[in-house]
């Protein structure tokens, strides 16, 4: 007979006792960590751009078919980020990293997000699994470049409106964002990981190292449906390591975890990561 798994606990004091002893903490984040900053999640309300879902545009096939449309989508998301700011969840994670670092302990963020809000909150140990909205990759010379230009190219100025009745800009390829390497002028694409594409092997290796060594894992604001990230925390839990999920609702992965804290992570996470009484006794070795 199949054994029944115990329901995850929502005992904050119990999680705080685990947190108190943890030396290496991995915080795995998804779109929900940025929701309270006003950045729409993929699978929640507001997840549509025009009439499309992420699965329709975040693919190499979509870019091949209509690079102008896909660039409009990413241009819109780049521009939107100028008015968005890290929220209490990003800040709690960054402050926790800084504080624990002084105690010789480690906090690392493995994020599926491309919005740089962890960086802007002050986190230093960040692994970006799905790339970054503010870097481009040249399709000719393969150079990956930081790019904060606004707009990213003249042809995209004023384009990218998200409403369903907005017209396609239909920008010619030669007017889409170009590589800035001297003498290249190649076409660029957003440096993000689309469905069906492999994740950067170095990024995956770094992630696995952190996941293999962590003694506490927090899973924040992800639906845990997109692989390989979806199996990270369940794999850690299988190793017998405590895993705590912070989400506004249960996910398909909740059953694998020892803890589940329901609610907006801008409230639940700061409560979990606040300094504990015994922290003052920690000294950096
Ligand atoms: C709150 C909150 C608040 C709200 N507080 N919480 C194995 C099985 C089946 C399929 C596959 C498999 N292995 C690979 C695949 C194929 C595919 C995949 O996973 N498909 C699934 C959909 C089934 N994976 C891939 O293609 C990956 N590549 C790969 O594995 O290569 C090898 C391979 C290929 C093909 C076959 C087999 C092997 C690449 C995946 C790349 C994902 N890219 C995107 C776009 C990135 C660029 C961009 O942003 O545009 O990444 S898709 C999109 O989903 C984005 C996200 O990072 C990712 C995850 O979404 P996330 O973050 O979880 O967001 P939501 O919206 O889903 O959830 C938000 C959550 O927050 C919800 O739970 C809310 O409740 C919660 N929330 N407010 C707390 N205030
Ligand atoms: Zn180039």
């Amino acid at each position: 007979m199949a054994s029944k798994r115990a329901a995850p606990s929502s005992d904050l004091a119990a999680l705080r006792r685990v947190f108190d002893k943890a030396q290496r903490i991995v915080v795995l984040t998804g779109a929900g960590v940025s929701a309270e900053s006003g950045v729409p999640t993929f699978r929640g309300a507001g997840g549509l751009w025009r009439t499309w879902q992420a699965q329709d545009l975040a693919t190499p096939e979509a870019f091949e078919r209509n690079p102008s449309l896909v660039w409009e989508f990413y241009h819109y998301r780049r521009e939107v980020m100028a008015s968005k700011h890290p929220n209490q969840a990003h800040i709690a994670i960054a402050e926790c990293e800084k504080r624990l670092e002084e105690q010789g302990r480690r906090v690392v963020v493995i994020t599926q997000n491309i919005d740089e809000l962890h960086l802007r909150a002050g986190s230093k140990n960040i692994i970006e699994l799905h790339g970054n909205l503010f870097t481009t990759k040249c399709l000719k010379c393969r150079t990956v470049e930081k790019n904060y230009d606004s707009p990213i190219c003249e042809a995209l100025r004023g384009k990218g409106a998200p409403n369903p009745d907005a017209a396609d800009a239909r920008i010619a390829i030669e007017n889409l964002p170009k590589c800035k390497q001297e003498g290249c002028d190649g076409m660029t694409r957003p440096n993000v990981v689309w469905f069906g594409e492999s994740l950067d092997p170095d990024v995956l290796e770094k992630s696995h190292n952190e996941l293999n060594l962590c003694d506490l894992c927090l899973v924040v604001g992800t639906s845990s449906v997109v692989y390989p990230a979806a199996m990270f925390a369940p794999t850690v839990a299988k190793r017998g390591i405590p895993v705590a999920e912070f989400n506004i609702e249960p996910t398909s992965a909740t059953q694998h975890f020892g803890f589940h804290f329901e609610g907006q992570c801008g409230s639940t996470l700061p409560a979990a990561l606040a300094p504990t009484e015994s922290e003052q006794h920690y000294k950096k070795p």
Side-chain angles (χ1 to χ4, degrees), residues 26-79:
V26 166
V27 188
L28 175 65
T29 67
V33 77
S34 297
E36 288 159 74
S37 298
V39 183
T41 60
F42 291 93
R43 293 161 189 88
L48 288 187
W49 179 80
R50 296 189 184 160
T51 52
W52 286 284
Q53 297 181 324
Q55 295 92 292
D56 305 322
L57 296 172
T59 71
E61 293 79 18
F63 188 68
E64 211 158 289
R65 219 170 22 242
N66 194 343
S68 167
L69 182 71
V70 174
W71 258 123
E72 267 199 275
F73 172 56
Y74 284 95
H75 161 67
Y76 166 71
R77 291 170 61 193
R78 286 165 61 95
E79 296 295 313

Side-chain angles (χ1 to χ4, degrees), residues 30-32 35-36 41-44 58 73-74 77 112-114 130 192-199 221-228 246-249 251 263-265:
E36 288 159 74
T41 60
F42 291 93
R43 293 161 189 88
F73 172 56
Y74 284 95
R77 291 170 61 193
Q112 296 168 82
N113 301 345
I114 61 172
H130 293 162
V192 300
V193 184
W194 286 327
F195 283 114
E197 293 186 319
S198 301
L199 277 67
T222 175
S223 56
S224 293
V225 296
V226 175
Y227 289 84
F246 296 80
N247 203 301
I248 51 171
E249 60 189 20
T251 69
Q264 308 238 59
C265 60

Side-chain angles (χ1 to χ4, degrees), residues 1-284:
M1 206 170 69
S3 66
K4 226 175 163 190
R5 214 188 291 261
S9 158
S10 56
D11 180 346
L12 182 62
L15 175 68
R16 299 272 292 156
R17 286 192 290 276
V18 175
F19 171 64
D20 218 7
K21 293 201 185 80
Q23 295 294 321
R24 296 185 72 110
I25 302 173
V26 166
V27 188
L28 175 65
T29 67
V33 77
S34 297
E36 288 159 74
S37 298
V39 183
T41 60
F42 291 93
R43 293 161 189 88
L48 288 187
W49 179 80
R50 296 189 184 160
T51 52
W52 286 284
Q53 297 181 324
Q55 295 92 292
D56 305 322
L57 296 172
T59 71
E61 293 79 18
F63 188 68
E64 211 158 289
R65 219 170 22 242
N66 194 343
S68 167
L69 182 71
V70 174
W71 258 123
E72 267 199 275
F73 172 56
Y74 284 95
H75 161 67
Y76 166 71
R77 291 170 61 193
R78 286 165 61 95
E79 296 295 313
V80 155
M81 287 315 298
S83 61
K84 307 296 179 207
H85 303 284
N87 64 49
Q88 291 309 312
H90 299 104
I91 292 167
I93 297 166
E95 286 181 354
C96 181
E97 176 187 329
K98 187 162 184 275
R99 203 176 75 238
L100 267 58
E101 211 259 336
E102 284 159 12
Q103 301 162 14
R105 301 157 75 197
R106 179 172 174 82
V107 174
V108 57
V109 178
I110 303 180
T111 187
Q112 296 168 82
N113 301 345
I114 61 172
D115 60 21
E116 288 199 338
L117 286 180
H118 286 298
L119 183 75
R120 285 167 57 189
S123 286
K124 302 256 181 298
N125 300 326
I126 305 171
I127 299 176
E128 292 179 319
L129 273 182
H130 293 162
N132 180 298
L133 192 49
F134 301 98
T135 54
T136 58
K137 184 155 68 190
C138 175
L139 298 178
K140 196 165 151 196
C141 73
R142 312 308 294 175
T143 301
V144 170
E145 282 176 334
K146 260 278 159 237
N147 186 315
Y148 291 105
D149 295 349
S150 168
I152 188 166
C153 68
E154 266 318 301
L156 280 165
R157 187 182 291 280
K159 306 294 186 207
N163 42 305
D165 49 353
D168 255 28
R170 294 181 189 280
I171 299 166
I173 282 179
E174 58 272 23
N175 295 326
L176 287 173
K178 292 270 180 63
C179 179
K180 291 181 180 172
Q181 294 295 302
E182 219 179 309
C184 179
D185 213 33
M187 183 184 183
T188 64
R189 56 164 279 181
N191 182 38
V192 300
V193 184
W194 286 327
F195 283 114
E197 293 186 319
S198 301
L199 277 67
D200 179 332
D202 291 342
V203 166
L204 265 183
E205 192 189 333
K206 275 190 200 148
S207 304
H208 286 309
N209 286 344
E210 297 293 346
L211 291 159
N212 287 338
L213 292 173
C214 75
D215 50 11
L216 173 62
C217 177
L218 311 180
V219 187
V220 185
T222 175
S223 56
S224 293
V225 296
V226 175
Y227 289 84
M231 65 188 182
F232 287 177
T235 306
V236 170
K238 253 186 213 141
R239 215 163 41 83
I241 300 299
V243 178
E245 182 178 52
F246 296 80
N247 203 301
I248 51 171
E249 60 189 20
T251 69
S252 54
T254 304
Q255 53 171 328
H256 297 285
F257 306 145
F259 295 97
H260 175 83
F261 297 96
E262 206 145 314
Q264 308 238 59
C265 60
S267 308
T268 55
L269 205 54
L273 298 182
T276 64
E277 253 176 46
S278 58
E279 274 185 36
Q280 55 189 305
H281 306 303
Y282 268 102
K283 276 211 187 82
K284 199 169 183 168

